[in-house]
Amino acid sequence: MISWWAAENNAGDNLNRNNGVLQGNAGFTTGMVGNALNLDGSGDFLQVAAPSSLPVGNAARTVELWFRAPATPGESGIFQYGTAATGQMFGLVTSFN
């Protein structure tokens, strides 16, 4: 495991490698187990400014998360890292398609 953001009232990485900072009006709410991030889909996110140890390019990776998609149709980014400019971006996006 490289990082684990448990969202227990802070944006820290439980392994202390990739601590984050809440942006917008992001906050915390009751989750399935403990707390969870509360992101309303309007400029809210948890940002890790300079992540370390995360795989890049075509390196193998595994991501695990629980999320509740918004009730309104549309596209939402669940998570992403890297940059599209160099073709090194990885992420998960929901879509109403």
Side-chain angles (χ1 to χ4, degrees):
M1 182 182 303
I2 295 171
S3 291
W4 175 22
W5 296 275
E8 293 301 328
N9 293 319
N10 67 67
D13 171 10
N14 282 14
L15 303 178
N16 206 29
R17 293 183 184 142
N18 294 296
N19 293 315
V21 176
L22 296 182
Q23 303 292 330
N25 65 350
F28 302 96
T29 189
T30 302
M32 292 293 293
V33 176
N35 288 331
L37 291 171
N38 186 11
L39 311 171
D40 67 11
S42 181
D44 302 345
F45 55 97
L46 182 148
Q47 181 177 27
V48 177
S52 65
S53 306
L54 296 178
V56 296
N58 62 357
R61 66 203 79 198
T62 300
V63 175
E64 181 179 339
L65 60 108
W66 290 353
F67 71 94
R68 183 174 67 187
T72 55
E75 190 172 280
S76 298
I78 303 301
F79 78 91
Q80 72 180 44
Y81 72 87
T83 175
T86 61
Q88 302 289 313
M89 185 162 41
F90 177 75
L92 175 66
V93 175
T94 64
S95 177
F96 190 65
N97 299 354

